[in-house]
Amino acid sequence: MNTHGRTTTPARRTLLRGAALGAAAPVLSGTAAADTGQAAEGRTRATDSVTYRWLGTSGWRIDIRRAQGQEKRPATATVLVDPYVTRFATGLFTGAFDPTTRLRTDKPLARRHAGTSEVICVTHTHWDHLNDVPFLARATGARVIGTETTYHVLRSFGVDAAQLVVVKGGEVLDFDGYVVEVASSRHSRNASYSYFAPGTLTAPPATAPRTVADLPEGDTLAFKVTPDGAPSALFMGASDFDERSFAGLAPDVAMLAVASTESTYRYVPRLLAALDRPGVVVPVHWDDFERPLSEPPRKDGTALDDFVARVREASPASRLVVPDYATEYGADLRPRGSAH
């Protein structure tokens, strides 16, 4: 592919894995040492060129600093994944789930956390992933990448069709300063091997969804984002996956959804093997997403500890990063200071 006067090769970018994520290198002398010093300086610039902020659940804000030289474009591209920040109570975490809970968006809060987004990736159409996307798409003009169901739901909310990109998995989309690769995935399973609000849409609903039950899953995707010259990152929105679709993705960093049941056979070891055991693993979708982002994520009573233990057993060389809401992370997922 060649756009914007550059050539991008996602497969080649995975060669950055060891260097950009801080793998050990031998001590050299003379010219070799000078070359290594230059390479280390390049790696530092790479990790400084991208920042990540966890928005809770499976949501992320990615800020990518573009290379200098083209003055008619913003210096930084902001990419969002599943930006659900309004966080209202449905009773899900208290055992009194109410599927008729009304959808609503805290617009100032959504804008503050999302910034001026250029692209929004939606893994699936449940409320804890899509709820704030209609407002953000209309407010920022961002391009939204998602399933056909996501397309039809957003059209019902008045989002311009020209902003919407329908994908199925397998697409590799070349943007200015980064590549977005789409993989077919699967939704999490509960203890009964099912999940809430399955189904897909083949046309916009007659009226825009009003309650959490009005938003069907609509198939599930995962996204691999590779900024120019920096490590790649995979984003999951649910704790199941298509093993064959994930094979070959080999992300440097993987934001992996934590499973709360044992319904999916050997979920963690199979997932890590399919992804070629990423250098950094970041567990997501384990927090109570009905508590505000102004409070720290609640870890008690979640499946986080079990997930961490299984990752360490299946991929002991992977560095585990348990994220929090208030930290800005560099491209290697090391903290860069407070984001709020």
Side-chain angles (χ1 to χ4, degrees):
M1 297 173 291
N2 192 325
T3 62
H4 312 294
R6 64 191 181 87
T7 301
T8 58
T9 310
R12 178 177 171 78
R13 294 167 193 258
T14 60
L15 298 176
L16 294 167
R17 291 179 70 178
L21 297 177
V27 177
L28 303 175
S29 61
T31 302
D35 291 343
T36 301
Q38 292 172 357
E41 182 181 356
R43 291 194 294 272
T44 299
R45 287 196 299 268
T47 56
D48 285 344
S49 67
V50 183
T51 59
Y52 294 94
R53 304 181 193 189
W54 186 39
L55 302 178
T57 324
S58 61
W60 288 88
R61 171 175 168 171
I62 313 154
D63 291 305
I64 302 167
R65 193 172 65 218
R66 292 187 172 106
Q68 301 298 313
Q70 298 185 33
E71 300 188 4
K72 292 185 178 180
R73 61 182 186 171
T76 300
T78 297
V79 178
L80 303 176
V81 179
D82 289 355
Y84 173 56
V85 300
T86 295
R87 296 184 152 226
F88 47 80
T90 67
L92 181 64
F93 291 86
T94 62
F97 177 61
D98 180 4
T100 67
T101 302
R102 301 282 293 205
L103 301 170
R104 54 188 178 276
T105 293
D106 183 331
K107 295 179 181 179
L109 182 71
R111 286 302 303 265
R112 179 162 65 86
H113 282 285
T116 304
S117 49
E118 180 174 285
V119 167
I120 303 174
C121 300
V122 178
T123 63
H124 62 285
T125 316
H126 281 156
W127 87 95
D128 53 322
H129 302 261
L130 184 85
N131 180 82
D132 294 333
V133 173
F135 165 71
L136 289 171
R138 294 192 307 266
T140 67
R143 195 178 304 275
V144 182
I145 306 173
T147 64
E148 183 180 0
T149 296
T150 295
Y151 172 91
H152 290 308
V153 166
L154 292 182
R155 289 294 292 134
S156 75
F157 278 108
V159 178
D160 190 336
Q163 294 176 239
L164 305 178
V165 180
V166 176
V167 291
K168 298 177 181 295
E171 297 85 357
V172 183
L173 308 176
D174 191 5
F175 292 96
D176 183 6
Y178 56 98
V179 169
V180 175
E181 188 170 354
V182 188
S184 174
S185 193
R186 298 294 181 267
H187 196 273
S188 315
R189 299 281 158 175
N190 59 28
S192 299
Y193 302 90
S194 184
Y195 58 89
F196 172 71
T200 59
L201 298 178
T202 58
T207 59
R210 295 187 178 92
T211 72
V212 297
D214 292 337
L215 290 174
E217 174 252 351
D219 295 329
T220 297
L221 304 167
F223 296 93
K224 178 183 172 183
V225 178
T226 308
D228 286 352
S232 60
L234 178 74
F235 300 88
M236 291 180 68
S239 59
D240 202 352
F241 67 106
D242 181 346
E243 195 164 1
R244 292 160 185 81
S245 295
F246 275 32
L249 288 175
D252 299 306
V253 177
M255 285 66 168
L256 306 182
V258 172
S260 59
T261 74
E262 299 290 330
S263 296
T264 297
Y265 173 72
R266 290 176 53 80
Y267 168 64
V268 171
R270 287 175 49 242
L271 175 59
L272 292 171
L275 295 176
D276 194 22
R277 295 177 174 80
V280 179
V281 172
V282 184
V284 298
H285 218 330
W286 50 266
D287 59 322
D288 180 343
F289 53 78
E290 300 192 351
R291 287 160 51 100
L293 288 173
S294 57
E295 300 178 11
R298 178 183 291 161
K299 300 177 183 179
D300 297 340
T302 71
L304 176 62
D305 289 344
D306 180 67
F307 179 85
V308 167
R310 294 186 184 208
V311 170
R312 285 177 173 154
E313 179 181 6
S315 185
S318 298
R319 179 164 58 88
L320 269 155
V321 177
V322 177
D324 63 54
Y325 308 142
T327 301
E328 183 180 82
Y329 299 89
D332 55 358
L333 266 290
R334 297 186 188 277
R336 291 171 52 87
S338 177
H340 302 295

